[in-house]
Amino acid sequence: MGLLKSMDFSGFLVAMSLLFAVFSMGSVSGIGANWGTQTTHSLPASTVVKMLKDNGFQKVKLFDADSTILDSLKNSGMEVMVGIPNDMLYTLANSVQAAENWVAKNVSAHVSSNAVDIRYVAVGNEPFLQTLNGSFEGITLPALQNIQAALIKAGLSSRVKVTVPLNGDVYTSQNNIPSQGDFRADIHDLMLQIVKFLNDNGSPFTVNIYPFISLYDNPSFPVDYAFFNGYSSPIDDNGRIYQDMFTANYDTLVWTLQKNGFGNLSIIVGEIGWPTDGDQNANIQYAQRFNQGFMARYLAGQGTPMRSGPLDAYLFSLIDEDAKSIQPGNFERHWGLFYFDGTPKYQLNFTANSKGLVAASNVQYLARRWCVVSPSVSLDNPQLADSVSYACQNADCTSLGYGTSCANLDARGNVSYAFNSYYQIQNQLETACKFPNLSVVTNTDPSMGDCRFRIMIDAPAGVANGMASGVESLQQPVCLMLFLFLFICTIL
């Protein structure tokens, strides 16, 4: 009773909620989803939270700590992994105070006042990718240590665990045999330090596994091995049979941890999924096949030869992000289970009695009109190429190209798609369809087959990002070069 007298009532409630969370941790229940926000126009956060719940998601992984999104998760029943972007690692690694400030603002405030069930802080995102050339190797562990120290000081370390989402390229194996796995030679010692730190603090190892990327990077990669339907030439690792890449990759990590003395460290699959556009192997049929195959084994509680029992995983991703960098490939903007407007792309069952994905509700759209190339314009018009270049630089043309959903468009169709993409991202402004004597607005939907000329959502004030940071991400030379190549080849 003396303790209760020394606490105000609100403090008592916070303490009890933290205590309850501690006792409820440790079980794996429900599939999670990655919620990315690199979009020109975003659905309201409350709409996305409802969509998550309507589809049975129980966990959500964020890539930053947007206060609006965290506020929307208040009392939602969703377990949350909040993220710290790579560009913040330097500051957090070099300042304990910065880490304490970050935790106070982005964790403590939401846990205590908003009842957001934050379970993890993801420090960085794939910071040791080989394509990053070691940029974050010296600062990831110090940032991790400082965030952990800040959580301890805030009295949250028993409830909120730190982790570092890592790409599967941090470990490797000879001849793709799982039992021969070990950490990459160039970061071996660093990985042992990080794994020890995670183990000492009861934190999980988070890994992103992408069979699609293996297929994208290697034309000789066996297609069937990327899926879960069986493979004619499975890997036999001393009696352990591997018929799909995901299981083999996961167990390569298990072996890697085991041989380095951390065989009991828990593992979270932070990202797993398949894109639906932007590459010949990124399509709705393959995405449905992969994700339903993964969900079937997830629902069955099927583990791997090295670790039985259910997996802890987050599907990647919830919604398409039309402002993501396409440096890795045009498919980067098409990982969503849902299109940008919350419309399901295909049938996917999360339970035995599921009726498929549930669309976002009460979505508002702009008017049913499109910007297309004028019927009177000749394809050899000297202003056409520059106009298309401008449109694609400031919009999203990643559905154009070989093997994509709009691959069957003719030259005029390609131009119209580029014009309309720009027009929609610019909120259908009249001036956005004023390409010099080249374009017109039409009320007739120009979509053809699988190629959809989409109408932008009518995002509330402060939600439409296209005029600010989103457009900056859209301006990618790769997209421009791809489209110009397609455009020239189509004309010729």
Side-chain angles (χ1 to χ4, degrees), residues 19 22 55 57 74 141 166 178 183 224 231 240 260 314 332 361 367 371 393 401 404:
L19 185 62
V22 170
N55 285 282
F57 289 107
K74 175 182 179 181
L141 179 56
L166 296 164
F183 289 119
D224 286 342
Y231 175 51
R240 296 181 177 87
N260 285 289
Y314 297 78
E332 277 295 328
S361 55
C371 179
Q393 275 187 304
T404 63

Side-chain angles (χ1 to χ4, degrees), residues 223-232 243-244 285-286 288-294 296-297:
V223 174
D224 286 342
Y225 191 54
F227 299 94
F228 301 98
N229 310 103
Y231 175 51
S232 59
Q243 296 190 348
D244 67 89
Q285 292 74 27
Y286 275 6
Q288 183 182 36
R289 178 183 174 188
F290 180 84
N291 284 324
Q292 193 61 71
F294 179 79
R297 64 182 299 155

Side-chain angles (χ1 to χ4, degrees), residues 239-477:
R240 296 181 177 87
I241 306 301
Y242 295 92
Q243 296 190 348
D244 67 89
M245 182 204 157
F246 168 80
T247 306
N249 188 289
Y250 187 97
D251 273 4
T252 301
L253 172 58
V254 175
W255 274 106
T256 297
L257 294 172
Q258 183 172 299
K259 72 174 48 175
N260 285 289
F262 301 97
N264 294 321
L265 189 64
S266 61
I267 297 173
I268 292 176
V269 180
E271 298 178 18
I272 181 167
W274 199 281
T276 57
D277 211 346
D279 180 71
Q280 60 179 336
N281 291 311
N283 54 63
I284 286 177
Q285 292 74 27
Y286 275 6
Q288 183 182 36
R289 178 183 174 188
F290 180 84
N291 284 324
Q292 193 61 71
F294 179 79
M295 284 307 305
R297 64 182 299 155
Y298 181 91
L299 292 171
Q302 180 182 351
T304 67
M306 286 297 292
R307 282 203 181 178
S308 60
L311 299 168
D312 193 355
Y314 297 78
L315 296 180
F316 188 86
S317 65
L318 187 66
I319 305 172
D320 279 351
E321 300 175 77
D322 66 350
K324 281 192 74 176
S325 167
I326 56 172
Q327 193 67 36
N330 286 348
F331 57 82
E332 277 295 328
R333 294 179 181 170
H334 303 279
W335 286 99
L337 300 172
F338 298 82
Y339 292 108
F340 70 97
D341 60 354
T343 303
K345 295 181 178 180
Y346 47 84
Q347 183 80 5
L348 185 64
N349 298 318
F350 285 152
T351 67
N353 301 319
S354 173
K355 296 182 180 180
L357 297 175
V358 180
S361 55
N362 301 316
V363 178
Q364 303 298 312
Y365 294 87
L366 300 179
R368 285 185 57 81
R369 54 178 177 249
W370 298 262
C371 179
V372 298
V373 64
S374 173
S376 62
V377 170
S378 171
L379 290 178
D380 59 7
N381 187 304
Q383 292 183 301
L384 200 58
D386 287 343
S387 295
V388 168
S389 299
Y390 180 82
C392 282
Q393 275 187 304
N394 295 283
D396 180 19
C397 294
T398 56
S399 291
L400 300 173
Y402 176 72
T404 63
S405 63
C406 295
N408 292 327
L409 291 180
D410 60 15
R412 304 189 76 88
N414 278 293
V415 176
S416 291
Y417 189 96
F419 285 178
N420 186 65
S421 181
Y422 178 79
Y423 179 63
Q424 301 297 337
I425 283 177
Q426 297 295 321
N427 298 315
Q428 295 187 0
L429 291 175
E430 182 180 353
T431 54
C433 194
K434 293 290 186 181
F435 297 95
N437 299 315
L438 301 174
S439 56
V440 295
V441 173
T442 179
N443 294 320
T444 302
D445 187 351
S447 299
M448 296 180 59
D450 293 334
C451 181
R452 310 306 299 168
F453 283 59
R454 304 200 177 275
I455 298 173
M456 186 51 68
I457 58 176
D458 188 5
V463 178
N465 307 315
M467 304 304 142
S469 59
V471 168
E472 294 176 9
S473 299
L474 285 167
Q475 296 177 353
Q476 297 287 339

